[in-house]
């Protein structure tokens, strides 16, 4: 049986673990990890010179020269060179492709030779390769976002092949060092298969995706089989057995349709058809989710990588610490603020927990917070970041692509009220559970060096302007998400380089050193971006394959019929069952993958069978899906945080559930009060939001407040607060909601008055104050 957090011990945590923050994400060490001496200088020059080389190779033949000739000769150019403008365009395109191909081969070969010459050992050379090849990868992503000079499906094929190759490079060092030749062989073979298959499909895109769609030759089926095996292995390597079971179960369901019971039965898909769906048709693993990552999400994850490389976490945590100094739970609120901000652009609550938790959890423990409490706070804070605008953990992009006639901006606006309810309730819950444990509410000596006001302003400009550009381009100019992501990433690079130069000038320091240092950070940001985007791409590609198989079998209809049958047509039962299904389907998945699955399999049932509006249904499954990271026995987000804190898993789960209780109720508020996520701000939506907020506070108070009564009275009050809070959040009749809040107020007065040593005097004093008489 799990021990209570109040009396748990932490035998595995070393006595000096409080010093961990000094060695966390705020490290000042060189991120590029250059070799010592002249060899490190040559490595740096390799990185710095590679960047302009790839810019010339990618942008000059496709953007600069065509624009130059068009501007110089205008309409006379076709007449000068050809009587057929279409033939001229084809000639220019073919010439550009040839130039890029030759220059790319020469560049890769030359960089590889230099890596072998200036690198020492397996780990160093692989790190150099990852850094060197991440630069052309991101420049190609930027190039496509700017030009869109090929079909998105064809670009997604190239994107997936490149990112899988880079992922293999990033994973090879440990197996090679440990001489695990089986693992090395599997990685290398998987990388070669995925890159070769993607290259074939990219070069023959017109044929396989359009001309012969629905048909495949035997060699193509064999290629698809090998690619599927490679994807299964890479998926297992990235996300473990839990998600591997999901992928294999999806494929098995497609094969075993006639043997399935009841409504889940279908005619069955042949192995060759499954392989066509997964690979040859350029759907499946290369389908709309992969295209979404390639066109939209990737640049936002590059933005996240650049934020880390430029040191944004330092500023975020400093601002969080400063803003949290005014409450007793300030050190714990730092985790909430930092994780929410960073998690909004992260796309995975587990990755966010590992990233920010490496600093916030030891910081909380250093100030007296118990390991289980610290782990639970960070897990919930990381999860809350996934639903915060303007990025919403990349889930907003997918939602905008799945709901017809809805833009990304519409999704963000619709998510504002529920995000506010969630954040306020979590902040209050964290205050309840953490404040009694904190030894040093003032948070003295958190950072070794203070930041001057001027430095704080410049750093705020450095990171704030790109975010403002994102909001302005999307919300005011209403450009496409792809364009907004490009502007955001480019502006982050521009300000990431320019602001340190301004700082060096004001401080009288060397501008050359500052410039070189920012270039190093930029290059490392490209590497960080690859590390972030690779696993997200792999799992979304795998999910896309499974979803395409399930859609071909008609499983959404089967789920709809099954859910309707089990619920007996009673909405509340159907909604509870839907939430359970969402949690089960979301186990072990990052936010984007979990939401995609439930949005395609569960949301249509809520919309068609129970008349739930589209936004309400999608927000229901979105919020429900991320609960998997907090729900035992899997609770992947909690598993990460308790691994950092050294606390017990079940104790950490208990703390996380205490803090996040309203998150399990809020989705039901969406379906009973769809105005909460309507995207409009009127009496209906604002009143529903306030009622949901006060109801969530009542739930938090009932679960976490330290009552002074006996066990029976305490449990009774907890249940009363919880039930009243749930009714205030969910009940479809506003009069009942208001009455529930009135009951909450009466309960609060009761606990306050009866909990005093002299309740009669308290009542008289309160009466005197209310009537205007002096006590």
């Amino acid at each position: 049986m799990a021990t209570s957090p109040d009396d748990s011990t932490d035998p595995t945590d070393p006595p000096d673990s409080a010093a961990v923050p000094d060695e966390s994400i705020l490290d000042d060490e060189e991120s590029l990890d250059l070799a010592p001496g002249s060899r490190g200088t040559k490595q740096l020059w390799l990185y710095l010179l590679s960047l302009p080389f790839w810019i010339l190779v990618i942008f000059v033949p496709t953007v600069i020269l065509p624009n130059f000739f068009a501007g110089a000769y205008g309409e006379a150019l076709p007449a000068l060179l050809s009587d057929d403008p279409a033939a001229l365009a084809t000639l220019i395109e073919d010439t550009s492709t040839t130039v890029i191909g030759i220059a790319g081969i020469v560049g890769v070969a030359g960089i590889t030779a230099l890596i072998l010459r200036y690198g020492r050992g397996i780990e160093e050379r692989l790190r150099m390769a990852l850094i060197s090849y991440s630069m052309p990868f991101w420049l190609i992503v930027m190039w496509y976002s700017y030009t869109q000079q090929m079909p998105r499906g064809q670009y997604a094929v190239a994107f997936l092949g490149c990112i899988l190759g880079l992922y293999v490079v990033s994973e090879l060092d440990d197996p090679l060092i440990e001489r695990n030749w089986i693992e090395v062989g599997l990685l290398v073979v998987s990388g070669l298969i995925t890159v070769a298959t993607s290259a074939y499909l990219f070069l023959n895109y017109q044929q396989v995706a359009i001309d012969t769609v629905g048909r495949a030759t035997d060699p193509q089926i064999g290629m698809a089989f090998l690619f599927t095996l490679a994807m299964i292995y890479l998926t297992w390597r990235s996300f473990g057995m839990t998600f591997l079971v999901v992928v294999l179960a999806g494929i098995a369901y497609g094969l075993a349709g006639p043997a399935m019971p009841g409504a889940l039965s279908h005619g069955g898909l042949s192995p060759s058809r499954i392989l066509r769906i997964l690979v040859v048709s350029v759907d499946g693993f290369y389908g709309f989710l992969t295209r979404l990552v390639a066109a939209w999400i990737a640049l936002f994850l590059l933005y996240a990588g650049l934020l880390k490389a430029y040191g944004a976490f330092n500023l975020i945590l400093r601002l969080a610490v400063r803003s949290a100094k005014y409450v007793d739970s300030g050190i714990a609120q730092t985790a909430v603020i930092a994780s929410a901000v960073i998690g909004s652009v992260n796309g995975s609550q587990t990755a966010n927990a590992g990233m920010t938790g490496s600093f916030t959890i030891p910081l909380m423990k250093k100030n007296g917070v118990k390991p289980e409490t610290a782990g639970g706070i960070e897990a919930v804070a990381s999860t809350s970041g996934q639903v915060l605008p303007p990025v919403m953990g990349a889930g907003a992009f997918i939602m905008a692509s799945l709901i017809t006639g809805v833009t990304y901006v519409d999704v963000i606006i619709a998510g504002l009220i529920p995000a506010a309810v969630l954040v306020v309730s979590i902040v209050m819950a964290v205050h309840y559970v953490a404040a009694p444990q904190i030894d040093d509410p003032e948070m003295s000596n958190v950072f070794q060096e203070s930041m001057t006001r001027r430095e704080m302003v410049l750093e705020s400009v450095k990171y704030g302007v790109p975010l403002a550009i994102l909001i302005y381009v999307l919300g005011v100019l209403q450009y496409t998400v792809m364009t907004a992501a490009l502007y955001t990433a480019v502006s982050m690079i521009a300000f990431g380089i320019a602001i340190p130069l301004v700082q060096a000038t004001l401080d009288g320091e060397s501008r050359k050193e500052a410039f070189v240092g920012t270039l190093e950070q930029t290059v490392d940001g490209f590497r960080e971006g690859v590390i972030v985007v690779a696993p997200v791409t792999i799992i979304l590609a795998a999910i896309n394959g499974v979803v395409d198989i399930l859609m071909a079998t008609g499983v959404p209809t089967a789920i709809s019929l099954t859910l309707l049958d089990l619920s007996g047509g009673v909405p509340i039962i159907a909604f509870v069952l839907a939430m359970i299904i969402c949690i089960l389907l979301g186990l072990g998945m990052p936010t984007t993958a979990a939401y995609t699955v439930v949005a395609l399999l569960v949301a249509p049932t809520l919309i068609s069978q129970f008349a739930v509006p589209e936004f309400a249904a999608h927000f229901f499954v979105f919020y429900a899906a991320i609960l998997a990271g907090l729900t035992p026995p899997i609770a992947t987000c909690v598993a990460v945080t308790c691994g950092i804190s050294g606390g017990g898993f079940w104790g950490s789960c208990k703390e996380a559930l205490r803090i996040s209780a309203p998150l399990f109720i809020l989705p039901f508020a969406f379906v009973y009060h769809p105005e909460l996520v309507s995207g409009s701000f009127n009496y209906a939506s604002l009143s529903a939001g306030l009622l949901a907020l006060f109801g969530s506070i009542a739930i938090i108070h009932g679960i976490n407040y330290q009552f002074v009564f006996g066990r029976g009275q305490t449990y009774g009050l907890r249940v009363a607060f919880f039930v009243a809070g749930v009714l205030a959040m969910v009940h479809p009749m506003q009069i009942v909601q208001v009455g529930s809040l009135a009951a909450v107020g009466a309960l609060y007065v009761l606990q306050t008055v009866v909990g005093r040593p002299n309740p009669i005097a308290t009542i008289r004093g309160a009466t005197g104050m209310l009537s205007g008489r002096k006590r």
Side-chain angles (χ1 to χ4, degrees), residues 285-504:
F285 296 130
Y286 295 101
F288 84 97
L289 285 180
T290 302
R291 298 171 190 177
L292 199 64
V293 175
W296 289 10
I297 298 175
L299 280 172
F300 280 98
L301 297 181
L302 171 62
Y303 173 52
L306 291 168
L307 284 174
K308 183 176 181 182
Y310 287 135
F313 296 167
N314 190 343
L315 177 66
I316 292 171
L317 288 168
R318 287 179 184 273
L319 291 175
V321 168
R322 287 193 179 189
S323 62
K325 279 186 176 181
Y326 304 102
V327 292
D328 291 341
S329 59
I331 197 68
Q333 303 297 351
T334 298
V336 176
I337 298 171
S339 297
V341 172
I342 297 170
S344 178
V345 297
N346 195 294
S348 171
Q349 66 228 67
T350 53
N352 187 31
M355 190 179 299
T356 57
S358 63
F359 177 82
T360 58
I361 290 174
L363 196 60
M364 285 187 278
K365 290 175 61 180
K366 180 181 180 180
N367 285 268
V369 179
K370 293 181 174 64
E372 283 83 359
T373 305
I377 289 172
E378 178 57 45
V380 177
S382 296
T383 300
S384 69
Q386 303 300 294
V387 299
L388 293 187
V391 181
M392 294 171 63
F397 306 134
I398 299 176
M399 190 181 296
S401 69
L402 292 178
I403 302 178
T404 305
V406 167
T407 67
Y408 169 79
V409 176
D410 295 331
V411 175
I412 294 304
I413 294 174
L416 290 175
I417 293 177
V421 172
L422 181 66
V423 169
V424 171
S425 62
I426 289 177
V427 166
M428 293 201 65
V430 168
H431 179 75
Y432 272 122
V433 300
Q437 302 178 25
I438 293 176
D439 298 328
D440 180 19
E442 295 297 323
M443 293 181 292
S444 56
N445 301 321
V446 172
F447 297 98
Q448 294 179 348
E449 296 182 3
S450 61
M451 183 178 288
T452 65
R453 184 180 299 274
R454 186 177 67 190
E455 290 173 335
M456 185 72 74
V457 170
L458 288 174
E459 289 290 291
S460 300
V461 171
K462 179 179 174 181
Y463 305 114
V465 172
L467 182 60
I469 289 174
L470 168 63
I471 297 172
Y472 178 75
V473 171
L474 277 176
V476 179
L477 300 182
Q478 296 190 358
Y479 287 1
T480 64
V481 175
M482 190 186 307
T483 302
L486 176 64
Y487 286 3
T488 303
V490 171
S491 63
M492 186 67 256
I493 294 172
F495 280 88
I497 294 174
I499 294 299
L501 292 178
V502 174
Q503 181 70 46

Side-chain angles (χ1 to χ4, degrees), residues 471-659:
I471 297 172
Y472 178 75
V473 171
L474 277 176
V476 179
L477 300 182
Q478 296 190 358
Y479 287 1
T480 64
V481 175
M482 190 186 307
T483 302
L486 176 64
Y487 286 3
T488 303
V490 171
S491 63
M492 186 67 256
I493 294 172
F495 280 88
I497 294 174
I499 294 299
L501 292 178
V502 174
Q503 181 70 46
T505 302
L506 295 175
D507 293 341
E509 299 175 351
S510 171
R511 287 190 295 269
K512 178 181 178 181
E513 291 183 3
F515 180 67
V516 173
T518 56
L519 289 180
E520 290 183 38
Q521 291 176 328
T522 303
V523 171
D524 192 61
F526 290 157
R527 181 188 65 86
E528 291 283 356
V530 166
I531 292 173
V532 172
V533 80
V536 172
T537 306
I538 289 172
I539 196 169
L540 286 181
I543 281 291
N544 207 142
V546 172
V547 166
D548 280 359
I549 291 175
L550 295 180
M551 298 299 282
T553 64
V555 74
T557 302
I559 291 178
S560 176
L561 293 174
T562 303
L563 191 60
L564 190 64
D565 183 55
L566 291 175
S567 66
V570 180
I572 184 61
I573 298 177
F575 298 152
V576 172
L577 291 174
M579 171 168 277
I580 294 172
I581 293 172
C582 290
I583 293 174
L584 291 175
L585 292 176
L587 291 175
M589 296 190 196
T591 302
T592 46
Y595 166 65
T596 302
V597 172
V598 297
L600 293 173
L601 300 183
V602 179
T605 301
L606 302 180
I607 295 168
S608 62
Q609 301 296 334
F610 297 95
V612 177
E614 278 193 300
F615 256 147
H618 278 267
F619 270 93
F620 177 95
V621 298
F622 181 37
Y623 271 67
I626 66 173
L627 294 176
L630 301 175
T631 306
I634 304 298
T636 51
C637 195
V638 178
V640 170
T641 58
C642 72
I644 298 173
S645 70
F649 174 75
W650 290 103
S652 300
C653 284
K654 177 184 175 183
E655 293 294 285
L657 293 176
R658 287 174 58 192
I659 297 168

Side-chain angles (χ1 to χ4, degrees), residues 83-143:
D83 294 331
D84 187 356
L88 175 62
T90 302
L91 176 63
I92 293 175
E93 181 179 349
D94 292 342
T95 303
S96 298
T97 303
T98 303
V99 170
I100 292 174
I102 295 174
I105 293 172
V106 172
V108 169
I111 289 173
T112 302
L114 292 174
I115 289 173
L116 294 174
R117 179 173 180 179
Y118 297 131
R120 295 291 186 272
I122 295 169
E123 187 175 8
E124 185 174 287
R125 284 171 174 162
L126 286 172
R127 183 179 179 85
M128 291 177 65
L130 181 62
I131 295 171
S132 299
Y133 299 138
S134 65
M135 287 185 277
F137 170 78
W138 285 118
L139 289 173
I140 290 172
V141 173
M142 293 181 183
W143 168 83

Side-chain angles (χ1 to χ4, degrees), residues 232-278:
I232 289 173
Y233 169 71
L234 294 176
T235 300
W236 168 77
R237 184 177 181 85
S238 300
F239 292 92
M241 185 59 67
T242 300
F243 191 71
L244 176 63
V245 171
V246 173
V247 176
L248 295 178
I251 296 174
Y253 179 76
L255 293 170
M260 300 302 294
L264 295 177
S265 176
H266 62 88
L269 305 176
S270 66
S272 61
R273 185 181 176 190
I274 287 179
L275 291 172
R276 287 202 310 270
I277 291 173
L278 290 176

